[in-house]
Amino acid sequence: MSTVQFELELERLLQRSDKVFYDLPVAQLVERALVRKEGILTSSGAFQATTGQYTGRSPKDKFIVHERSIQKNIEWGKVNQPISSAHFERLYSKVLHYLSKKGELFVRHGYVGADKKNNVSLRIINELAWHNLFARQLFIRPSEEELSTFLPEFTIISAPGFSADPVHDGTNSEAFVIISFEKKTVLIGGTEYAGEMKKSIFSVMNYLLPDQNVLPMHCSANVGEEGDVALFFGLSGTGKTTLSADPYRNLIGDDEHGWSTTGVFNIEGGCYAKCINLSPEKEPQIYRALRFGSVLENVVVDEKTREANYGNTFYTENTRAAYPIESIPNAINPSISGHPSTIIFLTADAFGVLPPISKLTKEQAMYHFLSGYTSKLAGTERGVTKPEATFSTCFGAPFLPLPPYRYASMLGQKISEHNVDVFLVNTGWSGGPYGVGKRMDLAYTRAMVRAALQGELNTVETTRDPVFGLHIPAHCPGVPDELLQPMKTWKNKEDYKEKALLLAQKFQTNFEQFYSVSLAVKNSGPNI
C-alpha cells in the first residue's frame, strides 16, 4: 500500500463517520465522556476512568514496522520487535473498518517538542472521549492561529476496543502498539491504558531527534533563579519526581526532554504522575493539580462521596494522573531553558553499598547512563523475595529505537561541551541492605542535591571508592560526614564487602552487552 493510498483510507474514514469531533475543549470532552459512561467525576472535578486488563504499558506488544528505510538504524530485539509491512497494513485496514462502525470519533491536533525548531506535529484519533482528553492534556496545545494551518507529521490511531488475532495479525496478543516510520503512524489497539499514546510518541522522538543533534532524555528538569538548569534521571521509586519538585526552582518538565544546541526543552505539554499514596502534605503541587480537566487512571473513588482514595491499590499500584503542565504554579511556559549545569542520576540501592552522593567523571557518567541501575524490592512483583538489581539502559530502555551507545556518546559530548557536573545520588539504603539498614533520610538527600546544584561540592575533597571507583565528597553541608562513606555505616565490614562485590559483579555482567563502547568508558565501572 502506497503512502497516498494509506492516507486516503484514513481520510475516507473521517469523512464517512457519523460524528467526528475535532479539538473539543475540555468541558465538552468531559461531557461526552460522561454521557458515554466512560468514567465518573471525582469530588475535586477530575475525571476518573479505569483501563481494564491493562493497567500499564505492554512492552511485549510493542512493535516497529520492518521497513527498508529504517531497518539498518533500529536496534532490533526484545525492546524493538519487528513486524512486517503486510501485517501492519492489514491491521491498519481492520482498525479503520472497526472505527467506521463507531458512532463517534474524537480527533485532536497537538505538538511534541516545546522548541519549535525541533517539534513534531501530531494528529490523534481516538475511539474514547477520555483518551482524547488525555491527549489534550499531555501533548502541547496549538493556538487557534496554528490550528488554521495545521499539517500533521505523525498520526496516532487508538482503538482500544479492537482486538488483534495473533495467529493472523503477527502480534503476541490482542493488544498492539505499532510504529511505522515510513507511514508516520502509530497504531494502538486492544489496550485502554492511555500512557501507550504518550510513550509511543516518545519512542518516535528518540528516533528522530538524534539526527537533529538533539539528545532525547527520559528525565525531569528544573531551573533555578540564576538560570541554572538541572536534569534528574532515575527509574521508578528513586525519587525523580519528588526531588525535582522544588518550590525554589521552576519546573521545565517531569518526564521527557530534549537537549539541543541551544538548551533543554520539554517534549510534552503536560504531566503524567504516579499518584499512589499521593497526599497534600508530600506532593502539594500535584495534589492541587488534580482538578477539573485532569484525568485519573485506575484510582479508586468512593462510590458515594466521589473522593479519590490514593492509597488504595485495588486496580493497580500504577495509578496515574494526567494534567497540563500549567497546573503546576512554578512551571515555566514555554518549557524551554538553557544548557544544564548539573545532572543528577538517581538510584535506590537496596544493597546499601553505593554512597549517598558521588561525583562522576564524563566516562563514569556515560557508564552509569548506559547501566541505568536501581533495585527492585522484595514484594513488588510475584516471586521477588529479596532485592534484585535491575538495569534500564539510559534510564529509558523501552523507548530507545537506536543503539544505546549513540545516546550515551551524545551525552558525553554535551557534558564536555558545557562543562556539566554529574552526580550519582543513592536514595536507597544505608547501614546495611534492605531489611537491615534504613532508607536514606529524605532531608539528607535533599541537602545533598541542594549542595550539588549550588556548586558547594565542586571544591570539596573527595575519596575514591575502592570497588565502584566513585568520587565521594568528604563533607556535605547538612549531612553527617560518616553517612557519606557507606562502609562506615555498616556494623559488619565483611558483610559490606561481600554485598559490594556482589553488586559490582552484576554491573559488570550487565555491561557486557555494550561491547562496542570505548575502553575508557568500560573501565569506568566497578573494579573487582
Side-chain angles (χ1 to χ4, degrees), residues 24-43 45-49 104 106 128-131 133 292-294 301 306:
L24 288 184
V26 168
Q28 289 191 42
L29 278 173
V30 172
E31 286 173 356
R32 294 310 308 157
L34 291 172
V35 167
R36 292 159 56 93
K37 298 184 179 180
E38 295 177 1
I40 60 174
L41 279 184
T42 69
S43 58
F47 183 85
Q48 181 262 11
E104 298 177 338
F106 301 88
L128 298 176
W130 82 264
H131 273 194
L133 175 62
F292 183 76
S294 62
V301 175
R306 292 293 197 262

Side-chain angles (χ1 to χ4, degrees), residues 357 442-452 456-457 476-479:
I357 189 166
L442 180 58
Y444 289 147
T445 300
R446 287 191 187 280
M448 288 181 275
V449 169
R450 191 181 309 118
E456 295 177 335
L457 301 181
C476 179
V479 181

Side-chain angles (χ1 to χ4, degrees), residues 44 47 105-106 129 146 164 199 222 241 249 298 344 348 388 510 518:
S44 71
F47 183 85
L105 292 177
F106 301 88
E146 288 171 328
K199 288 304 187 185
N222 62 25
T241 300
R249 297 175 64 85
N298 298 312
I344 306 287
E388 294 181 359
N510 173 72
S518 69

